[in-house]
Amino acid sequence: MNDEFLSALNDKQREVVLATDGPVLVLAGAGSGKTRALTFRLAYLVREKNISPWNILAVTFTNKAASEMKSRVAALLALKSPMTRICANDANAPGGGQGEVKLPWLGTFHSICAKILRREIGRLGYKNSFAIYDDDDQVSLVKQCMKELMIDIKQYAPRMILSMISGAKNELMTPDDYEGQSNAYFEEMVAKTYRLYQHKLKENHALDFDDLIMKTVELYENNPDVLDRYQKAFRYILVDEYQDTNHAQYRLIELLADRHKNICVVGDPDQSVYGWRGADIRNILDFEKKYDGCKVIKMEQNYRSTKNIIAAAQNVIKHNVQRKEKELWTENGEGMPITVYEAFNEREEAEYVVRQVEELMANSKWQIARTPHPQPSPRRGEGEGGGGLSLNDFVVLYRTNAQSRVIEEICLNWGMPYRIVGGVRFYERREIKDILAYLKILRNPNDWISLKRIINIPARGISDNTVQILEENKIPAALVLDPSIQYPVSILNPRAIESLKNFATLYETILKASRGKNVIELIQYLLDKTGYKEWQLADKLEGEERLENIHELESLAGSFADQDPETGLDNFLAEVALMTDLDRAADKEAREGKPALTLMTAHNAKGLEFPVVFMIGMEEGLFPHSQSLFDQTELEEERRLCYVGMTRAKQRLYLIYTQSRIWHGGITANEPSRFLLDIPDELVDSNKQLAIRNNQIENGWRSPTLRVDRLGEKTEDSTEDRNQKTENGDSTYKLSPGDKIEHNKFGEGIVVSIEGTIATIAFVGKGIKKLDITIAPLKKV
């Protein structure tokens, strides 16, 4: 063994590299040098154990991660590029091993499967030149199937059906499987669409994104000789971010590893935050049960953050039940205390962030006492002048994309460049553009650009071909919006004419109703009257978040609500147009590589690190999100997401909440996030933590929520102190099976059973629900 080769690793990293045979579970904590350990492990197999690159399969979740690992492995093997002729004629190499090969088989699940299917898919009746359909292709095909099946796309959104099909494929459910478990009309309709959709994909020799994994599993399960060949080839398998695998990915790896069982999976259950898109945390939690004799290695030394940040994050995540016990530690300095800041509203919240960024950059000669990571990577965005900070060293994290709007506005007002990662700018989002287009044609019926955008959104039977004919015949937009127009039948068929007239009638109705409505009222009316709200809600994956973005637009429009309706609308549209122009300038700066403040959701922050992290909106109902409050599993995922956000910080961490916030067009005053309560007082740099804790003790875990409705009348939710005293004085909820209760959303129900704080309740007309009785709004009746 080459001791010099491993000298750059710490003890646990070295253990990961040397544990090459048999099943290995690596629990890699945040900032523990995971990538270093994995790349050294891959290089060690080739360099020290003389394993053919063809016999190594390494799977990651992103192309960026795969590219970085390839470069690092190539450097460790003293190659000029990730290409080599090693074992070019290896008989075990899939496909014969002829010519130059990449070293090793390293890529995402989908890229690896596509590579395999290009060679083997003939066994499934497809051509090797199969097409891979993107999202728009898939939606178009689903629409075509729905049309043939006479399913109304106005009533059932194609994207919603596609998401159901995608979910089925992630569970490896064929159309037959899905049809067999369908017990309601909607599920039966999805099953029929799924069957026809797959038939047409095969007719076109095409696969969608989910098929890449599902068809590879089908290939192996139905062709033992093919599976045998790949099992022999892949003697060593490594899977990164294993906590994010779904069932299809789990099954793929299970099949390939079954012969040699030299499988190393790396991940952190505390950072599993993609359950909403199919990830199953049980895959990593149950790995030891699946593989007898599994070696477990815990990488717990953090090289990224200060002691205070690590301690705060640990105190948040330790309250989860679904996790593997792990205790992060660091030899870095104590660092600054965690800043918990209470802002008056979302505008002060944003101004506080921008002000702190400027102050820290002006006084950024401070450095933390660190124990350097072996061969540390360069600091991200390090400023000039002896360790000063640049804008690239700061990130603002939020729970939902809608929260970025106010931060963007303040950045523009202060002249601070910013960039949004993992999303589009607020005013460039599709749903925002749609609503603005509706508003524009109400003020200017000659606006063809805005009319074209929404003439068939939601779908109302006006095709692109119809719009093209109107343009080619130079029919003004204002005439298209006139219900009395008489179209020549020589250019349009009767069905197209009827659809156009129906839309014009709808427009005239909205136009008449818009008189006297302020901007907020008009947006709300448009959402309902056009069917846009119902259309978005039909999209189970993204619809609610898009509506939240529109509600944020309502909040922005609030400052124009007291103006004369026409004047207010004109002023609102003018301000939005100005903001968009400034956005383009900020985009230009980002493209030129100039330093900029980074804005992103906590989900998109995974895998990144910044010297200074601001987490905004730390309030109940926002973070944790309101949809998770009554589901213990979802609440634990919210807690993991908070943990991910906190552990992105290297030197400073700010947790910010507001007294009140304009949300969904009204003013809400939610409690500070429960996650703030998990942080010990001694780790926080203000008395806010004690104030939050005392407030909760006085009012119970769920204190009343103050709201101001759209008319400006203050109201108070009727939630009561739901913590009832037991005989021994402990503050616990006293419920028993058989008790009748009432829930402010689900109505009346009966307690079926109680396990710990989780009650199984049968609600009249709503079915069985599992609720945490310490937080659910329950009342005995």
Side-chain angles (χ1 to χ4, degrees), residues 758-774:
I758 306 301
T760 300
I761 303 173
F763 288 98
V764 178
K766 300 292 185 180
I768 302 292
K769 307 288 183 184
K770 289 183 180 292
L771 304 178
D772 188 332
I773 60 180
T774 65

PDB file of all heavy atoms in Angstrom, residues 758-774:
ATOM      1  N   ILE A 758     -48.516  10.608  17.943  1.00  0.00           N
ATOM      2  CA  ILE A 758     -49.191  10.455  16.655  1.00  0.00           C
ATOM      3  C   ILE A 758     -50.529   9.749  16.847  1.00  0.00           C
ATOM      4  O   ILE A 758     -50.583   8.616  17.341  1.00  0.00           O
ATOM      5  CB  ILE A 758     -48.325   9.677  15.647  1.00  0.00           C
ATOM      6  CG1 ILE A 758     -46.951  10.335  15.506  1.00  0.00           C
ATOM      7  CG2 ILE A 758     -49.028   9.587  14.295  1.00  0.00           C
ATOM      8  CD1 ILE A 758     -47.002  11.786  15.044  1.00  0.00           C
ATOM      9  N   ALA A 759     -51.591  10.422  16.484  1.00  0.00           N
ATOM     10  CA  ALA A 759     -52.941   9.854  16.594  1.00  0.00           C
ATOM     11  C   ALA A 759     -53.455   9.478  15.209  1.00  0.00           C
ATOM     12  O   ALA A 759     -53.313  10.237  14.246  1.00  0.00           O
ATOM     13  CB  ALA A 759     -53.879  10.858  17.246  1.00  0.00           C
ATOM     14  N   THR A 760     -54.034   8.284  15.110  1.00  0.00           N
ATOM     15  CA  THR A 760     -54.724   7.859  13.893  1.00  0.00           C
ATOM     16  C   THR A 760     -56.190   8.201  14.076  1.00  0.00           C
ATOM     17  O   THR A 760     -56.835   7.729  15.016  1.00  0.00           O
ATOM     18  CB  THR A 760     -54.552   6.361  13.649  1.00  0.00           C
ATOM     19  OG1 THR A 760     -53.154   6.074  13.524  1.00  0.00           O
ATOM     20  CG2 THR A 760     -55.273   5.928  12.381  1.00  0.00           C
ATOM     21  N   ILE A 761     -56.729   9.036  13.196  1.00  0.00           N
ATOM     22  CA  ILE A 761     -58.079   9.560  13.364  1.00  0.00           C
ATOM     23  C   ILE A 761     -58.881   9.310  12.098  1.00  0.00           C
ATOM     24  O   ILE A 761     -58.400   9.546  10.984  1.00  0.00           O
ATOM     25  CB  ILE A 761     -58.051  11.073  13.671  1.00  0.00           C
ATOM     26  CG1 ILE A 761     -57.197  11.333  14.925  1.00  0.00           C
ATOM     27  CG2 ILE A 761     -59.459  11.618  13.876  1.00  0.00           C
ATOM     28  CD1 ILE A 761     -56.981  12.798  15.209  1.00  0.00           C
ATOM     29  N   ALA A 762     -60.104   8.809  12.278  1.00  0.00           N
ATOM     30  CA  ALA A 762     -61.030   8.596  11.167  1.00  0.00           C
ATOM     31  C   ALA A 762     -61.949   9.806  11.090  1.00  0.00           C
ATOM     32  O   ALA A 762     -62.756  10.040  11.999  1.00  0.00           O
ATOM     33  CB  ALA A 762     -61.832   7.318  11.381  1.00  0.00           C
ATOM     34  N   PHE A 763     -61.846  10.584  10.013  1.00  0.00           N
ATOM     35  CA  PHE A 763     -62.666  11.782   9.842  1.00  0.00           C
ATOM     36  C   PHE A 763     -63.850  11.484   8.935  1.00  0.00           C
ATOM     37  O   PHE A 763     -63.729  10.754   7.932  1.00  0.00           O
ATOM     38  CB  PHE A 763     -61.841  12.924   9.246  1.00  0.00           C
ATOM     39  CG  PHE A 763     -60.853  13.513  10.203  1.00  0.00           C
ATOM     40  CD1 PHE A 763     -59.521  13.131  10.175  1.00  0.00           C
ATOM     41  CD2 PHE A 763     -61.249  14.455  11.144  1.00  0.00           C
ATOM     42  CE1 PHE A 763     -58.601  13.677  11.042  1.00  0.00           C
ATOM     43  CE2 PHE A 763     -60.336  15.002  12.028  1.00  0.00           C
ATOM     44  CZ  PHE A 763     -59.018  14.616  11.986  1.00  0.00           C
ATOM     45  N   VAL A 764     -64.972  12.049   9.280  1.00  0.00           N
ATOM     46  CA  VAL A 764     -66.201  11.851   8.514  1.00  0.00           C
ATOM     47  C   VAL A 764     -66.015  12.436   7.115  1.00  0.00           C
ATOM     48  O   VAL A 764     -65.778  13.636   6.949  1.00  0.00           O
ATOM     49  CB  VAL A 764     -67.401  12.530   9.213  1.00  0.00           C
ATOM     50  CG1 VAL A 764     -68.654  12.353   8.370  1.00  0.00           C
ATOM     51  CG2 VAL A 764     -67.599  11.961  10.597  1.00  0.00           C
ATOM     52  N   GLY A 765     -66.105  11.587   6.112  1.00  0.00           N
ATOM     53  CA  GLY A 765     -65.989  12.029   4.728  1.00  0.00           C
ATOM     54  C   GLY A 765     -64.587  12.366   4.273  1.00  0.00           C
ATOM     55  O   GLY A 765     -64.370  12.712   3.118  1.00  0.00           O
ATOM     56  N   LYS A 766     -63.584  12.278   5.160  1.00  0.00           N
ATOM     57  CA  LYS A 766     -62.211  12.649   4.808  1.00  0.00           C
ATOM     58  C   LYS A 766     -61.238  11.479   4.906  1.00  0.00           C
ATOM     59  O   LYS A 766     -60.079  11.600   4.518  1.00  0.00           O
ATOM     60  CB  LYS A 766     -61.722  13.782   5.709  1.00  0.00           C
ATOM     61  CG  LYS A 766     -62.551  15.056   5.613  1.00  0.00           C
ATOM     62  CD  LYS A 766     -62.397  15.721   4.252  1.00  0.00           C
ATOM     63  CE  LYS A 766     -63.141  17.040   4.223  1.00  0.00           C
ATOM     64  NZ  LYS A 766     -63.022  17.717   2.908  1.00  0.00           N
ATOM     65  N   GLY A 767     -61.692  10.354   5.487  1.00  0.00           N
ATOM     66  CA  GLY A 767     -60.834   9.187   5.583  1.00  0.00           C
ATOM     67  C   GLY A 767     -59.925   9.209   6.794  1.00  0.00           C
ATOM     68  O   GLY A 767     -60.114   9.985   7.736  1.00  0.00           O
ATOM     69  N   ILE A 768     -58.924   8.325   6.778  1.00  0.00           N
ATOM     70  CA  ILE A 768     -57.994   8.162   7.893  1.00  0.00           C
ATOM     71  C   ILE A 768     -56.835   9.146   7.765  1.00  0.00           C
ATOM     72  O   ILE A 768     -56.228   9.280   6.705  1.00  0.00           O
ATOM     73  CB  ILE A 768     -57.444   6.716   7.942  1.00  0.00           C
ATOM     74  CG1 ILE A 768     -58.599   5.712   8.079  1.00  0.00           C
ATOM     75  CG2 ILE A 768     -56.452   6.564   9.083  1.00  0.00           C
ATOM     76  CD1 ILE A 768     -59.309   5.781   9.394  1.00  0.00           C
ATOM     77  N   LYS A 769     -56.519   9.841   8.858  1.00  0.00           N
ATOM     78  CA  LYS A 769     -55.390  10.755   8.888  1.00  0.00           C
ATOM     79  C   LYS A 769     -54.520  10.425  10.100  1.00  0.00           C
ATOM     80  O   LYS A 769     -55.023  10.045  11.155  1.00  0.00           O
ATOM     81  CB  LYS A 769     -55.848  12.217   9.006  1.00  0.00           C
ATOM     82  CG  LYS A 769     -56.862  12.645   7.959  1.00  0.00           C
ATOM     83  CD  LYS A 769     -56.237  12.786   6.591  1.00  0.00           C
ATOM     84  CE  LYS A 769     -57.269  13.281   5.571  1.00  0.00           C
ATOM     85  NZ  LYS A 769     -56.717  13.349   4.199  1.00  0.00           N
ATOM     86  N   LYS A 770     -53.197  10.590   9.952  1.00  0.00           N
ATOM     87  CA  LYS A 770     -52.268  10.464  11.076  1.00  0.00           C
ATOM     88  C   LYS A 770     -51.770  11.862  11.416  1.00  0.00           C
ATOM     89  O   LYS A 770     -51.139  12.514  10.583  1.00  0.00           O
ATOM     90  CB  LYS A 770     -51.106   9.531  10.722  1.00  0.00           C
ATOM     91  CG  LYS A 770     -51.495   8.062  10.608  1.00  0.00           C
ATOM     92  CD  LYS A 770     -50.269   7.190  10.334  1.00  0.00           C
ATOM     93  CE  LYS A 770     -50.636   5.728  10.221  1.00  0.00           C
ATOM     94  NZ  LYS A 770     -51.083   5.168  11.496  1.00  0.00           N
ATOM     95  N   LEU A 771     -52.034  12.331  12.630  1.00  0.00           N
ATOM     96  CA  LEU A 771     -51.712  13.687  13.020  1.00  0.00           C
ATOM     97  C   LEU A 771     -50.907  13.703  14.308  1.00  0.00           C
ATOM     98  O   LEU A 771     -51.111  12.865  15.195  1.00  0.00           O
ATOM     99  CB  LEU A 771     -52.990  14.516  13.219  1.00  0.00           C
ATOM    100  CG  LEU A 771     -53.966  14.589  12.046  1.00  0.00           C
ATOM    101  CD1 LEU A 771     -55.184  15.409  12.433  1.00  0.00           C
ATOM    102  CD2 LEU A 771     -53.302  15.189  10.826  1.00  0.00           C
ATOM    103  N   ASP A 772     -50.004  14.657  14.419  1.00  0.00           N
ATOM    104  CA  ASP A 772     -49.253  14.865  15.651  1.00  0.00           C
ATOM    105  C   ASP A 772     -50.127  15.698  16.584  1.00  0.00           C
ATOM    106  O   ASP A 772     -50.432  16.857  16.301  1.00  0.00           O
ATOM    107  CB  ASP A 772     -47.946  15.604  15.343  1.00  0.00           C
ATOM    108  CG  ASP A 772     -47.023  15.685  16.558  1.00  0.00           C
ATOM    109  OD1 ASP A 772     -47.537  15.682  17.691  1.00  0.00           O
ATOM    110  OD2 ASP A 772     -45.804  15.771  16.356  1.00  0.00           O
ATOM    111  N   ILE A 773     -50.528  15.115  17.710  1.00  0.00           N
ATOM    112  CA  ILE A 773     -51.491  15.789  18.582  1.00  0.00           C
ATOM    113  C   ILE A 773     -50.887  16.958  19.336  1.00  0.00           C
ATOM    114  O   ILE A 773     -51.613  17.729  19.965  1.00  0.00           O
ATOM    115  CB  ILE A 773     -52.127  14.789  19.586  1.00  0.00           C
ATOM    116  CG1 ILE A 773     -51.047  14.143  20.464  1.00  0.00           C
ATOM    117  CG2 ILE A 773     -52.940  13.748  18.864  1.00  0.00           C
ATOM    118  CD1 ILE A 773     -51.584  13.163  21.475  1.00  0.00           C
ATOM    119  N   THR A 774     -49.549  17.096  19.280  1.00  0.00           N
ATOM    120  CA  THR A 774     -48.947  18.250  19.947  1.00  0.00           C
ATOM    121  C   THR A 774     -49.033  19.508  19.096  1.00  0.00           C
ATOM    122  O   THR A 774     -48.807  20.610  19.598  1.00  0.00           O
ATOM    123  CB  THR A 774     -47.470  17.984  20.281  1.00  0.00           C
ATOM    124  OG1 THR A 774     -46.730  17.843  19.071  1.00  0.00           O
ATOM    125  CG2 THR A 774     -47.325  16.746  21.143  1.00  0.00           C
TER     126      THR A 774
END
